[in-house]
């Protein structure tokens, strides 16, 4: 991470929004310097974001392409599921975010009426899952989030609903009693359907005592928890660091799910680990943890994820 000079700092501020939650700042102050750096570097503006790279773009997964973008806030890369972008807001702004064009550049979020999306889903019975992403769904008022989840789970064709969130470890207070009660209600109301959460966690240091408490509360109401991780240079590009993460996740009842190769989004080249190096790291990880807590190493694309191992 390079310290910005006055000019680059002004350019960064003009180009990309910055947000680091109070929880992350407090947590970093309690960590050893190396772990604090690995945590804060994910969210701190860096002049290297201003460097142009030919293979990096604002929409590396082509989510805005009309053939997979039926509504402004819906992406359909898979036959059986849609990605529902609930908001552009997050408790933190990851500098390597795939949707940097929305989250760090956002001038407002366009929300499609639920009934319009519902009609689309009911006309295509091949779709059985809705994934809430963003931004971070937990940034919505709980009543709003619960209303949207209730609507989709109430559709006869939808059997699975998944919440993807960074907030559990970066702003655990958003996992409020009201939020937990809403999830518990949805589980009772739709007991024949599956409600799960996928947490974005890149380093074991992110699992603070407060986050672990919230994770336990989620488990206590029966929410299956999975984790996705992005392979990041200088953050977790080590088999030992990733093994520590996988073991820590498993200890707290979270299933390691995906290890993502970096999406080539504008301003993130300094985070990229090459595929050959990533495969070497992943091979080392596979020697350090049992196969049942080994995440799948993948690269995402317009047409979905494909394995890199």
């Amino acid at each position: 991470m390079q310290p910005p000079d006055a000019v680059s700092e002004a350019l960064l501020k003009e180009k990309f929004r910055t947000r680091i939650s109070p929880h992350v700042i407090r947590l970093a102050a309690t960590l050893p310097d190396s772990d604090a750096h690995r945590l804060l570097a994910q969210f701190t503006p860096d002049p290297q974001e201003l460097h142009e790279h030919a293979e990096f773009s604002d929409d590396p997964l082509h989510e805005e392409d009309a053939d997979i973008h039926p509504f402004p806030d819906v992406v359909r890369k898979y036959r059986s599921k849609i990605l529902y972008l609930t908001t552009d807001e997050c408790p933190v702004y990851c500098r390597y975010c795939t949707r940097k064009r929305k989250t760090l550049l956002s001038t407002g979020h366009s929300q499609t009426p639920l009934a319009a999306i519902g009609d689309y889903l009911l006309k295509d019975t091949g779709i059985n899952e809705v994934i809430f992403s963003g931004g971070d769904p937990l940034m919505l008022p709980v009543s709003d989030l619960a209303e949207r989840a209730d609507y989709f789970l109430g559709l006869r064709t939808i059997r699975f609903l998944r919440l993807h969130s960074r907030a559990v470890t970066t702003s655990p207070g958003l996992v409020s009693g009201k939020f937990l009660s809403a999830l518990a209600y949805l589980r009772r109301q739709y007991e024949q359907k599956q409600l799960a959460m996928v947490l974005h966690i890149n380093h074991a240091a992110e699992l603070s005592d407060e986050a672990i408490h919230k994770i336990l509360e989620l488990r206590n109401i029966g929410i299956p928890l999975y984790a996705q991780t992005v392979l990041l240079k200088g953050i977790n590009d080590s088999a030992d660091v990733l093994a520590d993460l996988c073991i820590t996740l498993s200890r707290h009842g979270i299933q390691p799910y995906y290890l993502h190769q970096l999406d080539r989004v504008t301003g993130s080249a300094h985070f990229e680990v090459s595929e050959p190096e990533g495969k070497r790291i992943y091979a080392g990880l596979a020697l350090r943890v049992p196969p049942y807590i080994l995440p799948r190493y993948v690269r995402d694309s317009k047409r979905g994820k494909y394995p890199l191992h």
Side-chain angles (χ1 to χ4, degrees), residues 92-103:
V92 291
Y93 289 139
C94 301
R95 310 311 294 186
Y96 54 86
C97 177
T98 300
R99 298 187 190 96
K100 205 170 183 176
R101 67 189 184 280
K102 292 181 176 290
T103 55

Side-chain angles (χ1 to χ4, degrees), residues 69 71-75 83-86 109-112 117 148:
H69 194 51
F71 302 100
D73 49 359
V74 172
V75 178
L83 188 71
Y84 176 46
L85 307 179
T86 58
H109 181 77
S110 179
Q111 183 182 342
T112 304
I117 303 175
R148 300 189 200 190

Side-chain angles (χ1 to χ4, degrees), residues 269-309:
H270 56 293
F271 284 114
E272 185 175 46
V273 177
S274 70
E275 280 194 21
E277 177 65 6
K279 289 177 180 178
R280 186 192 68 78
I281 292 168
Y282 187 75
L285 173 61
L287 295 174
R288 288 165 169 80
V289 299
Y292 52 84
I293 63 168
L294 180 68
R296 286 173 282 176
Y297 179 34
V298 297
R299 179 183 280 283
D300 210 348
S301 73
K302 176 179 176 177
R303 296 301 176 190
K305 297 175 178 62
Y306 59 89
L308 291 176
H309 55 89

Side-chain angles (χ1 to χ4, degrees), residues 40-240:
L40 292 174
Q42 299 178 58
F43 319 116
T44 304
D46 189 311
Q48 294 179 93
E49 292 178 65
L50 299 172
H51 298 169
E52 297 289 338
H53 294 267
E55 295 181 350
F56 287 70
S57 68
D58 289 346
D59 184 16
L61 303 183
H62 300 277
E63 291 181 338
E64 302 293 341
D65 288 4
D67 59 328
I68 62 167
H69 194 51
F71 302 100
D73 49 359
V74 172
V75 178
R76 186 184 182 187
K77 296 195 293 183
Y78 300 91
R79 179 181 178 276
S80 65
K81 66 194 75 172
I82 65 162
L83 188 71
Y84 176 46
L85 307 179
T86 58
T87 175
D88 294 339
E89 299 300 319
C90 292
V92 291
Y93 289 139
C94 301
R95 310 311 294 186
Y96 54 86
C97 177
T98 300
R99 298 187 190 96
K100 205 170 183 176
R101 67 189 184 280
K102 292 181 176 290
T103 55
L104 276 73
L105 297 174
S106 181
T107 56
H109 181 77
S110 179
Q111 183 182 342
T112 304
L114 293 179
I117 303 175
D119 287 345
Y120 173 81
L121 295 174
L122 290 170
K123 288 175 182 174
D124 190 335
T125 57
I127 303 173
N128 62 19
E129 182 175 20
V130 177
I131 302 169
F132 280 29
S133 187
D136 196 305
L138 271 64
M139 293 296 283
L140 297 173
V142 173
S143 58
D144 187 2
L145 177 59
E147 180 182 356
R148 300 189 200 190
D150 190 27
Y151 176 81
F152 286 116
L153 286 169
L155 297 175
R156 57 179 172 76
T157 55
I158 299 303
R159 298 176 57 196
F160 307 97
L161 191 141
R162 204 189 315 171
L163 303 179
H164 280 223
S165 180
R166 191 79 161 106
V168 177
T169 55
T170 63
S171 192
L174 292 174
V175 185
S176 63
K178 187 175 181 181
F179 173 76
L180 292 164
S181 294
L183 291 189
Y185 164 80
L186 290 168
R187 273 187 47 78
R188 291 193 305 271
Q189 186 73 6
Y190 300 102
E191 60 182 10
Q192 301 303 317
K193 300 191 177 187
Q194 181 72 54
L195 177 63
M197 287 188 69
V198 177
L199 313 183
H200 179 169
I201 305 173
N202 292 330
H203 194 279
E206 297 174 28
L207 287 155
S208 65
D209 290 344
E210 187 178 353
I212 290 169
H213 176 70
K214 297 298 185 180
I215 287 162
L216 179 59
E217 290 187 310
L218 287 164
R219 291 179 60 203
N220 284 344
I221 60 171
I223 303 298
L225 300 176
Y226 304 87
Q228 61 179 3
T229 297
V230 181
L231 183 61
L232 299 168
K233 185 176 181 179
I235 308 297
N236 57 14
D237 54 336
S238 151
D240 287 334

